[in-house]
Amino acid sequence: MAVMAIAACQRGPTFTVEGTIEGANDSTLYLYNRSLAGIVLLDSARLSADGHFRFSQPAPTTGPELYVLRVNNQWLNVAIDSTETVSIKASMPGMAQNYSVSGSENCEKIRQLAQAHSRLQQRVFEVEQNASLMGQTMVDSLTTILRQYKDSVIMNYIFQEPQSSYAYFALSQTLSHLYWPTSTVFEMQDSLDGRAYRAVATCWKEYYPHSERAQQLYNMVERDITNERIAAARRERLQQEERVILSDIIDLQLPDLQGHLHTLSELRGKVVLLDFHVFATPESGARILKLRELYDRYHARGLEIYQVSIDSDVHLWKQAVEKLPWIAVYDPEGESCVSYNVQVLPEFFLIDRNNALQKRSSQIDDLEKEIERLL
């Protein structure tokens, strides 16, 4: 990650991180900002025998910020909301496991989360080093351990205060591993994890509308929602294609005037004119007359008309179809139009006796000749 240093001069409101670190005499303590752009070095101090330190920096103005204290290879995470003073008592070696914090509930929760995460990392390491666990058995063990950890963090921390900096910190946790497919602990694509992301993103956007972190998290969630919608649409298209393969048509199931459901697949053995129609148009009357002529001429030989009305006025539709001799069904939402990619109304298709879709109107020069051919 990028490391940058900034000038020590500060103006305006500040926050303070102070305390003692025992056993770190003559070591250098560094304070970093965990910015979205990378790790930013803010200040450093040489620790004396008593281990006392004190850092003051400009207070965050748009929302909570995350910071890190580092001595040698030991790291402590700190969250700052505004102008608070956070006090830390730690000891070396093992500072990350041996410290206490006061002055900030967020920092105390982060301490708990960091130590729980350390135990999780140790359990993952032990499973991966266990020679008796191989293949799917190891994956199952890792899945169970990780799921237990995530459930606990989501219920006891994230859902408790999704607007908090410790909730954001929890979602940012990563995992070192050999066999796990991702380095992140929480995955947007997971159902419960996704709910946690959305809860934090929504609250941060509301509480900290000018925060870059809030915007980044909100954008991640929006992108995931968009991707899921695209994936759902793709799955629906595949399901429709499967239905086409199974029956050679995209089947419809729509109600008639009496509420009885009619499908296209039940008309196997007949030549079907699938007609999409709107009665509330000036051209409707003339079109219905032409369909009557076709029906009267060919119905006895095996022609059936399956007419889908897209009218929004159900009473108009009921009056219009009351005396029609063919199958007249109602689809005011127009979902059947989506299934058959109907862009302009009226529209029609021809289906043969094997229930296979043959042609749509744009492919037909002479409708009667096509009906004769299929009959």
Side-chain angles (χ1 to χ4, degrees):
M1 302 178 75
V3 178
M4 298 172 281
I6 67 172
C9 179
Q10 300 109 31
R11 295 179 181 177
T14 62
F15 71 88
T16 300
V17 180
E18 62 181 13
T20 57
I21 301 177
E22 298 178 355
N25 187 25
D26 290 332
S27 297
T28 301
L29 175 66
Y30 299 92
L31 174 67
Y32 298 93
N33 172 216
R34 282 181 54 184
S35 77
L36 293 179
I39 297 292
V40 181
L41 177 62
L42 299 178
D43 205 350
S44 63
R46 195 76 174 174
L47 295 174
S48 59
D50 63 6
H52 180 73
F53 68 90
R54 180 184 176 88
F55 293 127
S56 290
Q57 290 290 322
T61 58
T62 59
E65 274 296 330
L66 300 179
Y67 300 87
V68 173
L69 292 172
R70 179 177 71 84
V71 178
N72 299 326
N73 64 344
Q74 292 290 299
W75 301 74
L76 293 183
N77 292 284
V78 177
I80 300 295
D81 286 358
S82 183
T83 58
E84 64 259 50
T85 295
V86 178
S87 298
I88 292 173
K89 292 184 179 180
S91 61
M92 294 286 284
M95 177 180 72
Q97 299 301 316
N98 300 308
Y99 81 98
S100 61
V101 60
S102 60
S104 169
E105 180 186 5
N106 276 302
C107 290
E108 169 57 22
K109 297 287 188 179
I110 285 176
R111 183 191 70 80
Q112 296 171 17
L113 285 164
Q115 294 189 352
H117 176 267
S118 178
R119 293 191 293 271
L120 168 68
Q121 185 68 72
Q122 181 60 33
R123 292 186 67 191
V124 168
F125 176 78
E126 290 171 354
V127 169
E128 293 185 331
Q129 297 300 311
N130 189 336
S132 66
L133 298 176
M134 300 294 290
Q136 190 60 44
T137 304
M138 176 177 289
V139 171
D140 291 343
S141 297
L142 291 173
T143 300
T144 299
I145 291 171
L146 194 57
R147 186 71 266 166
Q148 290 172 346
Y149 174 80
K150 293 197 292 186
D151 288 350
S152 175
V153 170
I154 288 173
M155 301 309 298
N156 296 321
Y157 292 90
I158 295 176
F159 283 170
Q160 292 296 318
E161 288 190 273
Q163 80 280 7
S164 66
S165 52
Y166 67 79
Y168 181 98
F169 173 82
L171 290 179
S172 70
Q173 291 180 327
T174 59
L175 195 64
S176 299
H177 56 85
L178 295 174
Y179 302 104
W180 199 249
T182 175
S183 61
T184 57
V185 174
F186 295 91
E187 302 174 81
M188 192 86 72
Q189 295 72 28
D190 179 272
S191 176
L192 185 56
D193 294 7
R195 286 176 55 201
Y197 270 106
R198 288 190 289 275
V200 176
T202 301
C203 286
W204 271 61
K205 194 79 165 70
E206 179 181 351
Y207 280 79
Y208 320 112
H210 304 296
S211 166
E212 290 185 5
R213 294 184 185 276
Q215 190 61 53
Q216 181 210 42
L217 191 59
Y218 192 80
N219 289 344
M220 288 171 57
V221 169
E222 285 293 294
R223 188 162 54 247
D224 182 70
I225 291 174
T226 300
N227 290 339
E228 176 53 34
R229 286 173 179 165
I230 293 172
R234 186 180 297 116
R235 288 193 297 270
E236 176 61 24
R237 285 197 300 272
L238 289 173
Q239 290 172 1
Q240 289 182 356
E241 290 173 6
E242 289 174 0
R243 290 198 293 270
V244 170
I245 292 170
L246 289 173
S247 65
D248 293 323
I249 57 168
I250 300 173
D251 207 1
L252 301 178
Q253 187 179 52
L254 295 168
D256 64 11
L257 186 59
Q258 287 74 40
H260 301 142
L261 294 176
H262 292 272
T263 64
L264 288 172
S265 55
E266 72 191 27
L267 299 176
R268 180 182 289 272
K270 296 179 181 292
V271 172
V272 179
L273 177 65
L274 171 60
D275 186 63
F276 292 89
H277 189 79
V278 178
F279 285 94
T281 61
E283 301 83 9
S284 174
R287 180 175 173 77
I288 292 300
L289 285 176
K290 289 182 180 180
L291 290 178
R292 272 189 176 275
E293 291 175 4
L294 289 172
Y295 187 84
D296 291 343
R297 186 174 302 142
Y298 296 108
H299 178 64
R301 293 173 56 187
L303 175 69
E304 185 57 80
I305 297 177
Y306 186 101
Q307 187 172 55
V308 182
S309 168
I310 316 298
D311 288 86
S312 59
D313 188 337
V314 65
H315 300 292
L316 182 150
W317 171 73
K318 287 181 178 181
Q319 291 175 358
V321 304
E322 187 175 7
K323 297 184 187 279
L324 293 181
W326 53 75
I327 298 171
V329 294
Y330 191 52
D331 182 19
E333 302 299 326
E335 293 181 5
S336 57
C337 289
V338 176
S339 297
Y340 276 84
N341 193 28
V342 174
Q343 303 293 326
V344 179
L345 292 168
E347 176 65 288
F348 67 87
F349 299 79
L350 279 178
I351 300 169
D352 67 19
R353 293 183 185 272
N354 294 317
N355 231 199
L357 188 65
Q358 291 295 312
K359 294 182 179 181
R360 68 189 302 153
S361 62
S362 60
Q363 300 169 312
I364 298 172
D365 295 325
D366 190 321
L367 179 55
E368 289 199 42
K369 282 185 178 180
E370 288 294 336
I371 292 174
E372 289 274 6
R373 183 180 66 83
L374 295 176
L375 288 173

